[in-house]
Every structure is written in C-alpha cells, then in structure tokens.
Amino acid sequence: MLLNGSEILVNTLLDEGVDIIFGYPGGSVLNIYDTLYKYEDRLRHVLTCHEQGAAHAADGYARATGKVGVCIATSGPGATNLVTGIATAYMDSIPMVAITGNVTTPLLGRDSFQEVDIVGITMPITKHNFIVRDVKELQDTIRKAFYIAKEGRPGPVLIDIPKDITAKMAEFEHKEALKVEANTKYITEKALENLATFINESKRPLIYAGGGIISAGASEALKNLAEKINAPVATSLMGIGSFPGDHELYTGMIGMHGTKASNLLATKSDLIIAIGSRFSDRVVSSKNHIKNAKIIQIDVDAAEINKNIKADAYIVGDVNSTLERLLPLVKENKNEEWIGKLKEFKALKAPKNHETYDLTPEFLFNKLNELTQGDAIISTEVGQHQMWTAINYKFMKPRTLLTSGGLGTMGYGLGASIGAKLAMPDKKVINIAGDGSFSMNAIELGTAVFNQAPVIVIILNNGCLGMVRQWQTLFYEGRFSNTTLNRGTDFVKLADAYGAKGFRVTEEEQLEDVLKEAFESKVPVVIDYMINKDKKVFPMVAPGAPISEIISEE
C-alpha cells in the first residue's frame, strides 16, 4: 500500500510492538503528529513538559520493562533537549530509539531556522544514528534502529527525519520485527572450561555483578552459580536488583559508597568473577587495590574486556547463555572458611555519627522496606539520596531500581518514574529525590498529573546540594561554594499547584501515615522529608583510594 513517511513511521512503530511514545511536537514533526492524531487509539503519545523529560520517561519505560523506549522531538532545540537523556541511556546501556525531525532536505546544511546536525551531535552517545534522505529507506531504517538498540549490549539509537521525508509517498507492507539472537559465537567449550578451572581452584571467590546481568535476563543463572559455589555476591550500582537483597550471600554495593562487607571481601578474595560489569572508577580505581585476586570477566561487549582492569580469563558473549553453559562445569563448593569471613564482615556495624538528627534517611528506608517488602519500582535522582537508596533499600528483583549510574544525571528520576508507572500501572513507583535534583525537572509533575500517573516523589530535603557539600566538607576544608540552596521553595504548595498532593514530614511519627496515604492516592504525591544539611553518606572511599580504606565517620 502507498503511505506517506509519517504513516510509514507510525505503522513500523506498531510492527515493532511500541505502545507508548513520549514526546513534544514542533514544526518539523507536524506531519508525524498529524498521523499520531489519526492513530491515537492504537499508539499512545505522552506529551511531556520538556523534551528532556520525554527522553528520561522513555528510559524509565525501557528499564522497567526491558522493551525499547521511544521518544520524539522536533528539530533544533527540541532535538538538543533530548541529548542529556540519550547520553544517560547510552552510559547505562538502555535500549531507546529517539526520533527527531529536521528541516527539509534542500535546507540541510544551510543554517536554516531550527536546524542542528543532531546526527553529528549524538554520534558519541548513541550505538548508531541515521538521517533518512529517501522515504523508501524509512521503514528499513526504523527496523534496523530497533534491532541495534536491542542487540548485544543495548543502547540508544537516533533517527533524524527531515520534514519533507515525512510527507513523501512510498510503498509499505507490514513486516515482523527483526529477530535478535543471543550472541554466543565466542562461548566455546575451551573458554568455558578455562573459566571453570579458575572457579574450581578458588578458595575465596567473589562475584561482582553489574547491569549486564539485568539486561541479559540472567538473574536466575547468577543465583544458581552463587549458590553452587557458595560465593558472596557484590553488585555495582547498576547491578542492584540482579540478586535478592535479603539473600545470605548478598553483600551489597561495592565501591566508593559500597558496604564494608563488599569492599573488604574484594581485597581478601583470590578470584573476582566480574559478570556484566566494567570496573568503573567508582568501583575500583586500580588493580593494585585488589592485587590478591585473579580476575575473570564475562561481558557481551568486547570493548569492556581489559578496558579498566586486565582480566586473567574472559568470555565475550551473552551473559545468560554463558552462565547456563558454565554452571555444569563448576564444582559445588561450601567454602566454609570464606563464608565465615563473609559473616564476620557483614556483622561489622558503622560507628554511630556523633550528630543526632530528628529525621534520617535510614529511618525513611526502614519504613519503606517494611511497607513495600521490596515490591516497588524505585527511581532516583543523583546525589546523596541516590546512595542512601542503594545502601538501605532492599531490592528483591531486577528492573526495580531506575537510576542514572554512568552519567549521574540530576533531574532524571521524575521522568523515569512516569515512564515506569505508565508502563506498569499496577506497581508502586517511588522517585527518591534531593531538593537540588528535583528542582531541575519538577515541571514533569504536570506530565504525571495530566496522564494520571500517580507516582510518589520523596524529597530528602536538606536545603543544599548534599553530595557536593559532603565533598566540600571532607576534601575542601568546609568551603561551601554555591552548594547551600535554601531557595525557600515550598514543595507542598508546588505539588498543590500542579494538582498533586503534598505532604511535609518533620517528625518520625508522621511518616507511616503519610506513606500509607500516598500509596492509596490516585494522583501524584510529593513528600517533603526534611533532613539535616550535614547528614552524610557513609561508608565512603575517597576518590582514588583503595576500597579497603573506608571512611565511616568524620
């Protein structure tokens, strides 16, 4: 059948199984939006308040569901407003397709009104990107974009479509989405046997699990391996949820704000089994800091092997397939002496800070754990509250923590929570924020209210940029340059202005009733949870220091 470019785009999105797209209209995408109007009963469009919110919502949708998130924006500033969200998805390997309009093909490269080279701008932060100059290539380009976004190590792909392409006509026929096969080419018996030898000879193995476990759907295989060899499991920030938070072998996050158990076990281990993880600088700064351990690495992306830490053995390939084939080659092991060390380190308690505060993050998360039992999707912004979430909330399942790990994007969490809630309306979705981060994209409360997405925002309000202030305290002799906010924003009144509910919590006795009311609310809720500006995130390791040098109090 003969369709115009906009109709080809929308029909191909439907063929790819897309049910929601997040976006903001403008001149260069008017033809697309005219078609969306005609297809509104089949494809839901969510109008955000800002294009960055659309990108974060698509990202949150993808993290919560495992499907490709889709966002759309017009040319020029609309396209550039997507950039931070695309970079966020790229750094955390999140499958996303971003669609941008552009000026008509004759005007490309002429500095036309609202023209930017968005393909050039996003080249370093996408797996691939396209500009479509022939309407006959549009359908295949979209299909390739979805395949690339999902295949191997997931990531964002951008499609730039000039306005005249959206109006031109071409033949179209419905096609099934390109099938993504697990990458198993290099998972050979020899390579598996080599890894198994390292594991079978180890007396003190530690599994270091990253976000690649979640991307590959390998949580069950990870659990089976850990239990068979009785190995402690530490996760990166992105790996949280890949292993049950209440499991006796789970030691928590590793690295700069990792638990004592995870960090100390890493320095005592004779074998670190890194799975779907990349040894970022926030995990371990140098091989010298874990010099007692051999390193084996399993990752779908060959570029991550030996990039930060040299591996003694590795396999490049699908993580789930690798673990399933590795498991029969691995011998059962009780590792009783090593497990004794695990119990010893887990029993270490951080010394109490000499300060006492009326409200603490720990009290909040204890209450959230009690009321949700891990059955909630938690998004975060970036800062102290993000680390308190990672340390204190018990994540039981994969795809329940939505957070910007690699890029550290303040303003990420609210958009992500909306994307997750619209994808999974029956789930409790909670965004943990700081007052600094929340202020960046608070306008997306309007999106949540209008789209009847009753997300819960809990602002750990300390009147400052808490993490930066913590660094200024510890490493800059308390010179608080431009980190004290105290803007006087009344977040309760702000919530009310948007049509949401607002609560302020200043005493412990208030919290449970407020949370219970929030969980029953049919509209978004903002909880202004007041904490002291000098409350810090511990444990902590100074940048560049060995992970065993743990700061646990001032």
Side-chain angles (χ1 to χ4, degrees), residues 52 409-411 435-443 465 487:
Q52 185 177 335
T409 305
M410 294 175 69
D435 51 309
S437 284
F438 178 70
S439 296
M440 288 193 166
N441 280 329
I443 51 172
L465 301 177
R487 292 173 174 142

Side-chain angles (χ1 to χ4, degrees), residues 55 69 71 79-80 82-100 117-131 144-151 153-160 301 303 407:
C71 57
T80 57
L82 291 178
V83 168
T84 297
I86 293 169
T88 300
Y90 181 75
M91 290 290 282
D92 291 344
S93 306
I94 305 304
M96 179 195 292
V97 170
I99 299 161
T100 54
D117 177 11
I118 195 62
V119 169
I121 289 169
T122 59
M123 196 170 290
I125 55 166
T126 53
K127 276 188 77 177
H128 196 76
N129 57 23
F130 301 90
I131 181 166
K144 284 178 195 171
F146 274 83
Y147 176 82
I148 293 168
K150 293 182 285 188
E151 182 270 337
R153 180 179 184 168
V157 179
L158 180 131
I159 310 170
D160 193 37
D301 186 357
L407 196 64

Side-chain angles (χ1 to χ4, degrees), residues 3 57 95 104 116 145 150 175 189 274 283 288 299 310 329 341 353 391 452 467 494 504:
L3 299 178
T104 59
V116 295
K150 293 182 285 188
K175 297 178 183 178
E189 291 306 313
V283 170
N288 292 331
D299 204 286
K310 190 173 187 321
L329 305 177
K341 188 64 73 174
N353 196 293
I391 294 165
Q452 299 177 322
M467 186 62 86
L494 184 69
R504 182 166 293 108

Side-chain angles (χ1 to χ4, degrees), residues 270-553:
D270 64 3
L271 178 69
I272 293 177
I273 306 166
I275 310 173
S277 50
R278 60 189 177 89
F279 289 103
S280 86
D281 58 297
R282 289 298 171 102
V283 170
V284 59
S285 299
S286 167
K287 176 67 167 76
N288 292 331
H289 301 161
I290 47 172
K291 56 189 174 187
N292 296 320
K294 299 285 188 184
I295 307 289
I296 61 176
Q297 194 171 359
I298 301 169
D299 204 286
V300 73
D301 186 357
E304 292 300 340
I305 305 296
N306 296 326
K307 185 171 86 175
N308 295 320
I309 299 287
K310 190 173 187 321
D312 295 282
Y314 60 85
I315 285 180
V316 174
D318 177 71
V319 167
N320 192 52
S321 302
T322 303
L323 291 180
E324 287 181 343
R325 290 175 60 180
L326 179 65
L327 200 63
L329 305 177
V330 169
K331 297 174 184 174
E332 284 194 40
N333 199 333
K334 297 297 182 188
N335 284 320
E336 291 177 0
E337 187 176 334
W338 183 230
I339 294 303
K341 188 64 73 174
L342 161 66
K343 291 176 180 175
E344 176 190 329
F345 288 155
K346 284 181 81 169
L348 292 173
K349 300 294 181 188
K352 293 241 183 245
N353 196 293
H354 65 276
E355 300 282 1
T356 57
Y357 304 117
D358 293 333
L359 279 180
T360 65
E362 291 81 5
F363 181 78
L364 169 66
F365 288 106
N366 286 340
K367 191 60 65 179
L368 284 174
N369 283 324
E370 176 189 326
L371 295 179
T372 66
Q373 297 294 304
D375 188 24
I377 295 172
I378 307 289
S379 66
T380 80
E381 308 291 348
V382 170
Q384 287 179 315
H385 58 275
Q386 179 188 32
M387 294 299 103
W388 281 317
T389 304
I391 294 165
N392 294 293
Y393 189 78
K394 280 196 172 9
F395 291 91
M396 306 301 292
K397 298 174 184 175
R399 303 198 177 280
T400 53
L401 173 61
L402 320 178
T403 193
S404 173
L407 196 64
T409 305
M410 294 175 69
Y412 164 83
L414 180 54
S417 71
I418 293 168
K421 185 66 178 178
L422 292 176
M424 310 182 80
D426 295 332
K427 281 282 187 186
K428 290 185 184 75
V429 179
I430 304 166
N431 178 38
I432 306 295
D435 51 309
S437 284
F438 178 70
S439 296
M440 288 193 166
N441 280 329
I443 51 172
E444 297 304 337
L445 273 179
T447 305
V449 170
F450 182 78
N451 288 279
Q452 299 177 322
V455 297
I456 299 164
V457 179
I458 304 176
I459 304 170
L460 278 69
N461 188 349
N462 56 10
C464 67
L465 301 177
M467 186 62 86
V468 189
R469 181 184 174 91
Q470 177 165 331
W471 280 51
Q472 287 173 335
T473 302
L474 298 177
F475 310 122
Y476 292 86
E477 299 176 344
R479 293 185 292 275
F480 302 123
S481 176
N482 291 283
T483 48
T484 302
L485 300 178
N486 291 333
R487 292 173 174 142
T489 306
D490 188 326
F491 293 118
V492 175
K493 288 181 179 177
L494 184 69
D496 182 63
Y498 275 106
K501 285 185 182 177
F503 300 92
R504 182 166 293 108
V505 174
T506 58
E507 298 176 0
E508 290 183 353
E509 294 73 23
Q510 298 172 279
L511 181 61
E512 183 167 341
D513 288 343
V514 167
L515 287 174
K516 285 180 177 177
E517 187 169 346
F519 291 153
E520 297 301 319
S521 176
K522 302 300 183 190
V523 298
V525 173
V526 175
I527 300 171
D528 194 14
Y529 186 84
M530 310 301 290
I531 64 171
N532 190 286
K533 66 181 180 298
D534 289 316
K535 175 69 176 168
K536 297 177 182 61
V537 180
F538 293 125
M540 180 182 181
V541 174
I547 57 174
S548 58
E549 292 183 6
I550 300 165
I551 306 168
S552 56
E553 62 177 337

